[in-house]
Amino acid sequence: MTAALDGEIRDGRHQMQVRVYFEDTDSGQIVYHANFLRFMERGRTNYLRLLGTNQHALLQEARNDAPGFAFVVRSMTIEFLKPAVLDDVLDVVTLPQEVRGASVTLLQECRRADDLLVTARVRVAFISGGKGQRIPKALRLAMEGHRITP
């Protein structure tokens, strides 16, 4: 039932749709720039879910292996190319570019049909006790299977 909400992975790309609501916009009914970060966070979360990663099981496994762990955004480069407005339907695209032991770099886009609105390169790290830890093997292998080459 959640498949429609979670989007889909096709040809190594996760794609999901979000509608722009009034709460996402500023007084001019243009999407406030920080809300694109929220849309992309949802894309990353749903991408992991559709990789077959049961988030609750992953969290429990990670707690056992690395108490006090967290996934953190280590860095992000973002370009805002065009605005989105109230009632737009956006496609949020996520794909892994580089998978390393303790981090993964994802490329993300927000599109309105054929219009590219926002692009981002996001490096996410897995940490425990304030230090980088290896990403759990099952998750790392799943992401490597969808990785694109630069």
Side-chain angles (χ1 to χ4, degrees):
M1 185 67 167
T2 64
L5 294 174
D6 295 340
E8 65 179 344
I9 297 175
R10 190 180 332 153
D11 300 326
R13 297 173 179 264
H14 173 261
Q15 184 172 326
M16 64 171 231
Q17 292 189 319
V18 295
R19 180 177 302 281
V20 174
Y21 293 104
F22 188 76
E23 67 187 23
D24 300 317
T25 66
D26 61 18
S27 61
Q29 297 184 344
I30 296 172
V31 171
Y32 179 64
H33 71 281
N35 285 327
F36 283 107
L37 300 177
R38 295 174 56 213
F39 300 155
M40 289 186 284
E41 175 69 28
R42 290 179 209 161
R44 291 190 302 273
T45 298
N46 287 333
Y47 167 67
L48 291 175
R49 182 177 290 116
L50 290 177
L51 280 177
T53 302
N54 177 311
Q55 289 181 329
H56 294 291
L58 174 62
L59 293 175
Q60 188 57 50
E61 177 185 333
R63 281 186 195 100
N64 294 338
D65 293 344
F69 86 94
F71 282 106
V72 296
V73 172
R74 174 84 165 86
S75 63
M76 177 182 278
T77 304
I78 189 165
E79 289 192 55
F80 299 95
L81 305 169
K82 295 181 180 179
V85 298
L86 182 65
D87 285 331
D88 278 352
V89 175
L90 306 179
D91 293 310
V92 179
V93 179
T94 304
L95 58 150
Q97 180 184 32
E98 180 181 33
V99 182
R100 305 191 72 181
S103 68
V104 60
T105 300
L106 300 160
L107 300 179
Q108 291 193 280
E109 299 175 342
C110 291
R111 297 180 160 275
R112 179 183 50 236
D114 292 332
D115 286 334
L116 180 59
L117 307 180
V118 177
T119 64
R121 185 175 188 270
V122 185
R123 185 171 168 213
V124 179
F126 183 78
I127 65 168
S128 176
K131 296 181 181 178
Q133 300 290 323
R134 291 188 66 75
I135 296 171
K137 184 177 180 180
L139 177 57
R140 191 174 62 252
L141 292 174
M143 286 188 284
E144 286 174 347
H146 290 109
R147 183 174 53 92
I148 63 161
T149 53

